[in-house]
Amino acid sequence: MVLAAAGWFTRQLLFDGFVDGLVYGLLAMGIVLVYRATRVINFAVGNLGLVGAALFALMVVQYRFPFWIALGLALLIGTAFAAAVELAVIRRLFDAPRVIVLVATIGIAQLALAVVTAFPDIEDRRARFPLAIGSDREIAQIRVTGAQLAVLVAVPVVALGLTWVLNRTTLGKTVKAAASNPDLSRLSGINPKIVSTGVWALAGLVATVSMILIAGDDGSVTDFVTLGPNTLVRALAAAVIAGMTSFRRALLAGVVLGVVQALLAFNFLDQVGLIDFLVFLAVLVAVFFQSRQGEPDRSVFSFTPRVAPVPEHLRGLWWVRHLDRLFLVAAGVAAVALPLVVTAPSRHLLYTTVLAFALCATSLTVLTGWAGQLSLGQMAFAGIGALTAAALTRGLALHWGDLTVIEIYAMPFALSIVIAGLVTAVLAVAIGAGALRVRGLLLAVTTFAFGLAAQQYLYRRPLFVGEGGSTVAFPRGDLLGLDLASQRTYYYVVLAVLALALAVLGRLRRSGIGRTTIAVRDNADTAAAYTVPAASTKLRAFAIAGGLAGIGGALLAGTIQAVPFTERFFRVEDSLALVAMVVIGGLGSLSGAILGAIWVVGLPAFFPQQELVPLVTSSVGLLVLLLYFPGGLAQIGYSTRRALLAWVEQRVPAPPPKSTPARPSLHRERARPPAGDTPAVGPLAATDVRVRFGGIAAVDGASIEVREGEVVGLIGTNGAGKSTLMNAIGGFVPSTGRVEILGRDVSRLSAAKRASLGLGRTFQSATLFPELTVRDVVLVALEARGRSRLLGAALALPAARRRERTARVEAAELIDFLGLGRYADRYVADLSTGTRRIVELAGLLALDARLLCLDEPTAGVAQRETEAFGQVIGEIRAELGASVLLIEHDMPLIMGISDRVYCMEAGRVIAEGPPAAVREDPAVIASYLGTDERAIARSGAAAPSTSSVHDLST
């Protein structure tokens, strides 16, 4: 009452906020519904309902259908539309990376809008959206409109209905099963694709109800044909606050956001966009606390277009060897000649705009294509970069009361852009710090909220806009004496900056910077096992992307010598368009950023009278490319290149293979402490290790030891805790207890730090880095011997070039040593399991590991290869002078090569000793080997294999 007396709120204000919050909560429940079943954040959550809502208005207002019949048909059509979208788009992308599916939902949202705009126009433009209750009423001194009353009735009914469906129906139970354990649900006969269709249909029903309620509250029968980013951000925020799992918390969070919005809008009328900034902060905090829950998205970017390597025997042909460079030269010549052929300044303005957008798009190439982090607010960094550069060109001062804290004099145009890029790089790192904890797609929500907060609040800060207004002047001035007033001159400046950026990014992609970034994207655990820290690698990508976006945004604003931050270029819609550019052009491809910018920005301007062109360059074009050309326009170019190389190969056949040479030896001297100088330390001592997942103890007080030069086997049934214990030793899961590696306590160190101390780890799946070649994988592991530096690689400094040459020579030696020469330039995704296992061993050699933790190295390989692995492990062990901890289900192998064996059951060690003693231990027989004497006999020592590494790889 004190607040009410002070004017902070009224009953009406709280009620209106409560009703708005119910709508946010309803949309949030639709987001949670899809996410729980498919792990996809559905950005089409509202627009899915546009089709049904628009048809509802059309039927009632235009064709005079009875209200309730039209409502039933609209709900049915909205449900059917969502199911059709799932079958046509989501089903085809079912096994695609979740990031790609999220991008597809953005295209679906635009497609739904396009469908609605194709409907017949309602002739009576003054008509109101049909309501079940048309009159207002007053209850307890609160005015309740008919639309608000509909919300009060419909939202609780839908919420209770969703809860009932998920808890009581077969669909709900299958959704829960598929969400909690997809693999087990498949074994139980649950088809996850059918579950997905059912969930999307249900989401379409919820979306249709939501859009009818929103349109009824708005009242207009013609202007409701989109769900604005403001409403979508609040629904996404409520869903994230609910942990993407709870309907009840999503509804409650939506109500709280609605009430807080009403209070702020009433009490801070002069602070435009304050609520959007606070929603962004709420999302940031919610993501920080929620992001570690659930399993991470381990899918890889199989949609990244692959470049086929030039066959070795064709490299002698000059034009084949330089084919890519010839294409770039031709494109560069065309870009230089274009404004000389087309002389109209308006065309020069368009070409410059395309180039500036292409530069902004390269930031997403790095962040999303290379690092796997989807940003839906990238143009916000461009906008802040443009406003910062504009402020620096006019000079600015920061005041604290009457005291001037900082005063910066007016800077030259070019210098202001460079500093703006540095500012946005720092800002991107600050925003991206949440990505260190983010799992799955929550970063997309964070950056989407940031984009809206920037558009509504940050852009308007006095630091940027000065006296205010919706546009900030940004005169170009000159560059090193070159007058930039001419639009053609400015075009060439932007072209030069883009060319420089592409050259630098190309060098980075071919260096350890690019390889390690993609390695972390593809498989963060294996990257950490190769000493590559995920956190700093992601932040480096954020910094590069933020800097590129800031510079691109400043150059974009320079095209019209102003920053129109409320109307053009830097809105949330432009961030979504930027995502469309890199996906249409080719995710991860530098040329794709340019092709996408030409497609999305250029084509509509070249054909302004064609209504079909904007549709093809946005929603429909995006979805068609995702479904049929997942590598984008760049994939078409790479396919043409591959066909050309195949044509050349037919005319220049490969020479006959030479006789297989003897396998080389590395003959590398290793720095080992002389005997007697220091006391010997055990490679591994793990004491009382415990790992819990929720209330389940996966490892319960296990202790093991690996001594110098030993091969120690670790056996037990599936689920006994073997791999979890090895993950705890490697630092891949949180654990308690003490772990010592080579005499050093590493219990608090990250996985990458433990690897840098000499721990080599392989994984049961042998996934490695699917989108890297074998040579690249070995080069990633060689980063342990000397880390690539960003500045040196970007500028191609002599030290960086020497380091790259040395690393490539060492990689070639390792590849030859393991007989992998013919696979050197093959992508890991194209290799057999057995060959990937050999590539894993190459990584261990590159690491110079002293302790090898091998998790089922023969899983998925043929029996002949399994029999050879004992000899292989012996060779690698001898080459490295290392000790081995080995998990293996092949009893002849593990009993034949192990010095000692541990057996685990239910997270505990139940036996330890020489292989023969463990094999005969009654507890081991009862737990693992069973009582069948024939099975026990088959677990005897394997006969020594005469196979070698070279035999496996050939």
Side-chain angles (χ1 to χ4, degrees):
M1 296 301 293
V2 174
L3 289 177
W8 278 78
F9 68 84
T10 64
R11 293 180 182 180
Q12 186 69 49
L13 187 67
L14 291 178
F15 174 76
D16 292 343
F18 176 79
V19 173
D20 290 341
L22 285 176
V23 176
Y24 299 151
L26 183 60
L27 288 168
M29 286 191 291
I31 296 170
V32 169
L33 174 66
V34 173
Y35 187 83
R36 281 179 58 170
T38 62
R39 290 296 184 265
V40 172
I41 297 178
N42 182 14
F43 272 74
V45 61
N47 283 15
L48 275 179
L50 283 178
V51 174
L55 282 174
F56 173 61
L58 194 64
M59 286 186 288
V60 174
V61 176
Q62 185 82 359
Y63 301 116
R64 305 302 177 185
F65 274 60
F67 180 92
W68 295 107
I69 293 177
L71 179 61
L73 288 174
L75 295 178
L76 182 62
I77 291 170
T79 303
F81 175 74
V85 162
E86 196 282 335
L87 291 171
V89 179
I90 304 301
R91 177 72 62 89
R92 291 180 62 92
L93 299 174
F94 196 81
D95 296 321
R98 299 298 87 185
V99 168
I100 295 296
V101 184
L102 187 152
V103 173
T105 67
I106 297 173
I108 291 169
Q110 295 174 335
L111 177 63
L113 181 60
V115 170
V116 170
T117 56
F119 288 168
D121 292 333
I122 295 177
E123 295 176 1
D124 186 359
R125 310 295 292 180
R126 297 174 298 175
R128 306 296 291 172
F129 195 88
L131 296 172
I133 305 171
S135 60
D136 300 349
R137 60 201 64 201
E138 186 171 310
I139 303 174
Q141 298 182 344
I142 298 174
R143 187 176 66 88
V144 182
T145 66
Q148 289 176 324
L149 189 57
V151 172
L152 291 173
V153 173
V155 172
V157 169
V158 173
L160 291 173
L162 278 178
T163 304
W164 180 81
V165 167
L166 287 179
N167 291 332
R168 301 293 183 182
T169 67
T170 302
L171 174 62
K173 293 175 181 178
T174 55
V175 168
K176 281 188 172 182
S180 60
N181 195 327
D183 295 331
L184 182 60
S185 64
R186 288 189 184 94
L187 294 176
S188 302
I190 297 174
N191 188 332
K193 293 183 178 180
I194 295 177
V195 171
S196 176
T197 303
V199 165
W200 273 79
L202 195 56
L205 175 62
V206 174
T208 305
V209 172
S210 301
M211 293 308 298
I212 289 175
L213 293 175
I214 291 173
D217 184 60
D218 179 70
S220 173
V221 78
T222 57
D223 297 334
F224 73 96
V225 289
T226 184
L227 179 67
N230 300 61
T231 303
L232 181 56
V233 163
R234 284 146 182 72
L236 288 167
V240 172
I241 292 171
M244 305 299 290
T245 57
S246 171
F247 289 136
R248 183 170 52 201
R249 280 187 291 166
L251 185 59
L252 179 61
V255 169
V256 171
L257 286 174
V259 171
V260 171
Q261 173 180 276
L263 291 174
L264 290 176
F266 180 73
N267 291 285
F268 298 94
L269 292 175
D270 59 331
Q271 294 294 321
V272 178
L274 178 60
I275 180 61
D276 298 294
F277 183 69
L278 293 179
V279 168
F280 161 64
L281 294 181
V283 169
L284 206 60
V285 173
V287 166
F288 181 82
F289 286 105
Q290 299 287 350
S291 57
R292 293 204 177 200
Q293 297 181 4
E295 288 297 314
D297 178 13
R298 297 188 183 279
S299 58
V300 298
F301 278 57
S302 57
F303 282 20
T304 302
R306 299 176 183 172
V307 184
V310 177
E312 193 63 35
H313 70 281
L314 296 182
R315 292 183 180 273
L317 299 176
W318 181 89
W319 70 272
V320 172
R321 188 169 64 252
H322 297 285
L323 183 61
D324 297 337
R325 293 182 180 177
L326 290 174
F327 169 77
L328 292 176
V329 169
V333 169
V336 170
L338 185 61
L340 300 177
V341 176
V342 181
T343 58
S346 61
R347 294 283 103 178
H348 299 166
L349 174 64
L350 171 61
Y351 304 153
T352 308
T353 302
V354 170
L355 294 180
F357 265 107
L359 184 57
C360 293
T362 60
S363 70
L364 275 183
T365 298
V366 174
L367 188 60
T368 304
W370 296 2
Q373 300 291 322
L374 179 61
S375 171
L376 298 182
Q378 204 64 13
M379 286 305 289
F381 296 106
I384 291 175
L387 288 168
T388 301
L392 291 173
T393 57
R394 67 174 182 268
L396 56 88
L398 298 179
H399 301 282
W400 183 269
D402 295 332
L403 179 65
T404 301
V405 180
I406 298 176
E407 185 173 4
I408 300 176
Y409 295 101
M411 292 184 179
F413 177 78
L415 181 59
S416 70
I417 291 179
V418 173
I419 295 177
L422 295 176
V423 170
T424 52
V426 173
L427 178 62
V429 170
I431 300 297
L436 305 184
R437 292 175 56 95
V438 164
R439 299 199 176 211
L441 305 174
L442 293 180
L443 179 68
V445 180
T446 303
T447 51
F448 188 70
F450 170 69
L452 183 63
Q455 175 183 326
Q456 299 291 88
Y457 184 75
L458 295 179
Y459 292 168
R460 305 172 190 273
R461 297 305 89 207
L463 176 68
F464 293 138
V465 300
E467 298 298 326
S470 60
T471 300
V472 175
F474 187 31
R476 292 199 287 255
D478 61 77
L479 174 64
L480 301 177
L482 180 66
D483 186 7
L484 300 180
S486 165
Q487 198 65 51
R488 177 188 291 170
T489 302
Y490 188 68
Y491 165 86
Y492 283 124
V493 169
V494 176
L495 177 64
V497 174
L498 177 61
L500 177 62
L502 293 176
V504 169
L505 291 177
R507 284 197 293 265
L508 290 179
R509 175 59 186 87
R510 295 187 297 271
S511 72
I513 302 297
R515 291 189 293 265
T516 54
T517 302
I518 292 175
V520 169
R521 180 201 73 188
D522 276 4
N523 193 331
D525 285 347
T526 301
Y530 284 3
T531 75
V532 179
S536 59
T537 302
K538 288 180 181 179
L539 287 181
R540 184 178 62 201
F542 271 102
I544 296 172
L548 287 170
I551 293 173
L555 291 173
L556 183 60
T559 59
I560 58 174
Q561 304 192 67
V563 189
F565 57 86
T566 61
E567 299 176 2
R568 296 173 61 186
F569 298 156
F570 307 120
R571 303 164 301 165
V572 171
E573 293 85 348
D574 300 303
S575 292
L576 299 182
L578 204 67
V579 173
M581 286 179 208
V582 295
V583 173
I584 289 173
L587 192 61
S589 167
L590 292 175
S591 60
I594 301 174
L595 294 173
I598 294 173
W599 185 272
V600 175
V601 179
L603 286 186
F606 288 134
F607 304 99
Q609 305 303 322
Q610 294 291 331
E611 296 182 358
L612 185 63
V613 171
L615 190 63
V616 172
T617 58
S618 57
S619 58
V620 174
L622 177 65
L623 291 176
V624 168
L625 282 168
L626 282 175
L627 295 175
Y628 299 103
F629 300 97
L633 298 174
Q635 179 184 349
I636 300 174
Y638 293 151
S639 297
T640 304
R641 177 182 180 274
R642 187 180 299 110
L644 178 61
L645 291 177
W647 178 81
V648 176
E649 275 195 284
Q650 291 179 353
R651 286 152 179 77
V652 185
K658 300 178 181 178
S659 58
T660 303
R663 179 167 53 85
S665 175
L666 293 181
H667 294 302
R668 289 179 294 169
E669 295 294 331
R670 304 183 183 282
R672 298 284 188 257
D677 285 4
T678 58
V681 294
L684 172 64
T687 308
D688 196 27
V689 176
R690 300 176 187 273
V691 179
R692 300 186 70 86
F693 298 117
I696 300 174
V699 179
D700 191 8
S703 299
I704 65 172
E705 179 185 13
V706 178
R707 300 163 192 156
E708 187 73 29
E710 276 190 326
V711 175
V712 175
L714 190 58
I715 64 174
T717 59
N718 288 329
K722 307 181 301 298
S723 295
T724 304
L725 175 59
M726 191 172 280
N727 284 335
I729 291 170
F732 296 100
V733 295
S735 63
T736 59
R738 183 181 178 88
V739 177
E740 293 184 7
I741 295 177
L742 299 172
R744 178 174 174 179
D745 184 1
V746 299
S747 304
R748 298 182 179 276
L749 297 184
S750 66
K753 288 289 187 181
R754 299 186 196 195
S756 67
L757 294 176
L759 173 63
R761 173 80 157 89
T762 67
F763 296 86
Q764 182 178 346
S765 61
T767 304
L768 289 172
F769 314 114
E771 301 304 307
L772 291 180
T773 65
V774 170
R775 191 185 311 277
D776 286 338
V777 170
V778 178
L779 287 168
V780 169
L782 285 170
E783 287 288 308
R785 303 186 187 181
R787 197 72 66 199
S788 298
R789 303 300 177 187
L790 177 60
L791 187 62
L795 301 180
L797 298 179
R801 294 201 302 270
R802 285 195 302 270
R803 192 210 159 278
E804 182 71 13
R805 286 195 298 268
T806 301
R808 289 187 173 273
V809 170
E810 292 179 337
E813 290 178 353
L814 288 169
I815 288 170
D816 290 341
F817 176 74
L818 293 174
L820 292 168
R822 59 178 173 170
Y823 303 109
D825 295 313
R826 294 270 297 274
Y827 287 95
V828 170
D830 299 330
L831 302 178
S832 67
T833 302
T835 306
R836 291 202 305 270
R837 297 291 184 191
I838 303 303
V839 178
E840 279 189 319
L841 299 180
L844 295 180
L845 286 170
L847 289 171
D848 279 335
R850 295 285 306 279
L851 171 65
L852 308 182
C853 291
L854 311 180
D855 191 350
E856 297 193 39
T858 66
V861 302
Q863 182 60 34
R864 180 182 64 84
E865 294 173 331
T866 298
E867 294 169 355
F869 249 87
Q871 180 73 14
V872 172
I873 293 172
E875 291 185 21
I876 300 298
R877 170 190 174 191
E879 176 66 27
L880 293 173
S883 304
V884 179
L885 177 63
L886 173 66
I887 297 176
E888 186 55 67
H889 283 290
D890 188 284
M891 287 298 101
L893 172 62
I894 200 165
M895 294 296 180
I897 68 173
S898 297
D899 299 300
R900 290 184 302 116
V901 175
Y902 288 86
C903 182
M904 292 186 67
E905 179 184 18
R908 298 185 178 91
V909 174
I910 61 172
E912 179 267 329
V918 171
R919 188 173 61 244
E920 297 171 359
D921 190 295
V924 176
I925 293 174
S927 168
Y928 183 47
L929 296 179
T931 57
D932 189 331
E933 293 296 332
R934 291 171 298 177
I936 299 172
R938 283 199 301 270
S939 69
S945 172
T946 57
S947 301
S948 67
V949 172
H950 194 64
D951 297 325
L952 280 175
S953 60
T954 58

